[in-house]
C-alpha cells in the first residue's frame, strides 16, 4: 500500500454525511451499497445532496471513452465545493474509488490535490482506516490487491437499510477476469478472477431475503465462470449455487450477469431448464460477428461457436431472451466485418443490446494495433446496429401483446392506484392494482405495448410469495 500521509483521526460528534456517485456497471452500484454500509458503521449516513456531504466518493468506471478526463473534470467542480465549505469552516473529504482509481492510482492525487484518498475496488473494507489516515491534507492511495478477503471485512446492511433499497438486489459472487480480451481493462482494474465462497453468498442472500428482497441478480465480470468453494470443500458451479439460492425462502427470481459464451456449461443449461426461479433472460456479449475481428479481440470463440451456444440455450429454455454487447470500429474492422455483425444479429434476434464505439484503453493490446477507425465511421456503424436491434426489441415487445405473463410487483406505479413490476424478460409493466401485491408475483394479461413499458390487467390466479 502506497501511503503519502500520516495517521490522524477526525474528532467530530456531528452525524456525518456521505455522498456516493457511481458510474458504469451494476457491480459499481453494488459496491456503492457496500461502501455506504461500511461507512454507516463509522457514523456516516447517506445523502443524495453532494453539497451537504462531509465525504464525497466518486465511484468510477474505466470502460467508457475519456473516463479519466470526465473524472478529473468532475473533481474540479467538487474541489470548488470543498473550498466553499472550508470557507464556512466545514471540512469535506474527497475520495476516488472504482476502476479509474485502480488504473490511475497516485496520478489522481498529483493532478487533483484536493482529493484525500484513492481506493481500488478490492479495498473498500479499508475505508474506515483510509478515512482515519487522511487528515493533514496529504493524500493516501490504496490500490493493492490485498491477501485478506474484503467480503469478510465489509459490514452488513441493517434490515431497514435493505428495505429502503427495494425488493430486487445485486449480490457480487465473482470478481475479475482471466480472459484478457485485447480491448478490455477489466483484467487489470478488477484483477484475476476470484469467486466468493458459497457460505458467504448464502449468508448475504438469506439476510436480504429476510428483509423482503425477492429477486437477486448475481454479479460477476465473468459470472458463469463462478467456481466458489462449497460448504464442505470443492468448487461449486454457478448452476449449483443458483440451485441452492433457489431454496432460500422468499427468493422468487434469480438472474445473473455478465456471462462469457465459452462458459455456458451443461449444468448451467440444465439449471435454466429445471430451476423455476431462474429467469429466461441472458446477457451474453459477443462483441462482433466477424471471425477475423473476434480473433483480434482474443475472444477465444468464433461466430459459429456463439451460434452453437445460442442453439443449446434455446433448446434448454425455448423462451430465453438474449441481449449482448457489441463494439464497432475495433482496429482493422472493415465494412465487410461490420456486415458480418449485422448478419449475426439478424440470425440471433436480440431482445436488447448495448453498443460501444471502440475506444483505446491505455495498457491494453488493442490500443497499439493499427487501423483505428475514424469517428464518423464508428458513429455510422453504431447507428446502423442500433436501428437493427431497436427493430428486434420492438418486435420482441410487441409479441407480448395479448399474452398472460408473471409479473413480480416491486413498487407503486406511475399513476395513483397503479403498481409496477417486471416480467421474467425484464419488461417494465404497469397495472391498476392493490399495493399489497408488491413483493408478489401475479399473472397479468398485456393489453398495451409502449416504447418503454407494457400495460396490462391483473388475472385471476395469484402466486403467493412465501413471505
Ligand atoms: N472500447 C469500447 N467498448 C468496450 N467495452 C469494453 N472495453 C471497451 C473498449 N475499450 C465494452 C464491451 C464490454 C462492455 C461492458 O463494454 O462490449 O462487453
Ligand atoms: Fe473484459 Fe469481459 Fe473480455 Fe473479461 S471477458 S476481458 S471482462 S470483455
Amino acid at each position: 500500500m502506497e501511503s503519502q500521509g500520516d495517521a490522524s483521526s477526525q474528532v467530530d460528534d456531528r452525524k456525518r454525511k456521505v455522498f456516493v456517485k457511481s458510474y458504469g456497471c451494476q457491480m459499481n452500484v453494488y459496491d456503492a451499497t457496500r461502501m455506504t454500509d461500511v461507512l454507516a458503521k463509522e457514523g456516516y449516513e447517506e445523502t443524495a445532496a453532494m453539497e451537504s456531504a462531509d465525504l464525497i466518493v466518486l465511484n468510477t468506471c474505466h470502460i467508457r471513452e475519456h473516463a479519466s478526463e470526465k473524472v478529473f473534470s468532475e473533481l474540479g467542480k467538487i474541489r470548488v465545493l470543498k473550498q466553499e465549505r472550508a470557507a464556512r469552516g466545514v471540512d469535506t473529504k474527497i475520495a476516488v474509488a472504482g476502476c479509474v482509481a485502480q488504473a490511475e492510482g497516485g496520478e489522481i492525487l498529483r493532478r487533483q490535490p484536493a482529493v484525500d484518498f484513492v481506493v481500488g475496488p478490492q479495498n473498500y473494507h479499508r475505508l474506515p482506516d483510509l478515512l482515519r489516515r487522511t487528515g493533514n491534507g496529504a493524500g493516501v492511495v490504496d490500490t493493492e490487491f490485498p491477501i485478506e478477503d474484503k467480503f469478510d471485512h465489509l459490514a452488513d446492511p441493517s434490515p431497514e437499510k435493505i428495505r429502503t433499497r427495494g425488493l430486487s438486489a445485486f449480490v457480487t459472487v465473482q470478481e475479475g477476469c482471466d480472459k484478457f480480451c485485447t480491448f478490455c481493462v477489466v483484467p487489470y482494474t478488477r484483477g484475476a478472477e476470484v469467486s466468493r465462497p458459497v457460505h458467504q453468498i448464502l449468508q448475504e442472500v438469506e439476510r436480504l431475503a429476510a428483509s423482503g428482497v425477492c429477486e437477486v441478480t448475481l454479479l460477476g465480470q465473468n459470472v458463469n465462470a463462478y467456481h466458489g468453494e462449497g460448504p464442505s470443500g470443492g468448487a461449486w458451479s454457478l448452476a449449483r449455487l443458483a440451485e441452492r439460492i433457489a431454496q432460500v425462502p422468499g427468493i422468487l427470481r434469480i438472474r445473473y450477469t455478465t456471462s462469457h459464451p465459452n462458459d455456458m456449461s451443461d449444468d448451467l443449461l440444465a439449471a435454466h431448464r429445471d430451476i423455476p426461479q431462474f429467469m429466461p433472460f441472458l446477457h451474453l456479449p459477443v462483441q462482433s460477428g466477424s471471425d477475423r475481428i473476434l480473433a483480434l479481440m482474443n475472444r477465444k470463440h468464433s461466430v459459429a461457436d456463439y451460434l452453437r451456444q445460442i442453439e443449446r440455450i434455446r433448446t434448454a429454455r425455448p423462451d430465453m431472451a438474449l441481449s449482448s454487447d457489441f463494439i464497432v470500429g475495433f482496429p482493422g474492422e472493415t465494412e465487410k466485418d461490420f456486415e458480418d455483425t449485422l448478419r449475426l444479429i439478424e440470425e440471433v434476434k436480440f431482445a436488447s443490446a448495448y453498443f460501444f464505439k471502440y475506444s483505446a484503453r491505455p495498457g491494453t493490446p488493442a490500443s497499439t494495433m493499427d487501423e483505428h477507425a475514424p469517428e464518423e465511421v464508428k458513429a455510422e456503424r453504431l447507428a446502423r446496429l442500433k436501428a437493427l436491434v431497436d427493430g428486434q426489441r420492438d418486435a420482441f415487445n410487441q409479441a407480448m401483446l395479448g399474452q398472460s405473463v408473471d409479473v413480480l410487483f416491486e413498487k407503486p406505479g406511475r399513476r395513483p392506484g397503479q403498481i409496477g413490476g417486471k416480467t421474467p424478460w425484464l419488461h417494465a409493466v404497469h397495472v391498476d392494482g392493490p399495493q399489497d401485491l408488491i413483493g408478489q408475483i401475479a399473472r397479468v394479461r398485456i393489453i398495451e405495448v409502449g416504447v418503454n413499458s407494457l400495460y396490462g390487467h391483473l388475472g385471476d390466479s395469484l402466486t403467493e410469495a412465501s413471505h
Side-chain angles (χ1 to χ4, degrees), residues 218-239:
L218 310 178
L219 296 180
Q221 273 86 27
N222 219 187
V223 71
N224 56 343
Y226 175 83
H227 58 280
E229 189 190 334
S232 44
W236 278 30
S237 64
L238 182 66

Side-chain angles (χ1 to χ4, degrees), residues 177 179-181 183-184 186-187 221-222 260 287 299:
C177 182
K179 295 276 192 292
F180 289 94
C181 299
F183 52 81
C184 185
V186 165
Q221 273 86 27
N222 219 187
H260 190 282
Q287 314 294 358
R299 287 288 295 174

Side-chain angles (χ1 to χ4, degrees), residues 172-239:
T172 290
V173 300
Q174 177 276 329
E175 260 188 281
C177 182
D178 297 336
K179 295 276 192 292
F180 289 94
C181 299
T182 55
F183 52 81
C184 185
V185 286
V186 165
Y188 313 97
T189 57
R190 292 273 171 175
E193 199 187 309
V194 177
S195 294
R196 290 177 72 187
V198 171
H199 74 90
Q200 217 184 50
I201 297 165
L202 271 180
Q203 226 170 40
E204 189 168 330
V205 172
E206 279 161 3
R207 264 187 89 85
L208 292 168
S211 295
V213 165
C214 39
E215 176 178 76
V216 286
T217 302
L218 310 178
L219 296 180
Q221 273 86 27
N222 219 187
V223 71
N224 56 343
Y226 175 83
H227 58 280
E229 189 190 334
S232 44
W236 278 30
S237 64
L238 182 66

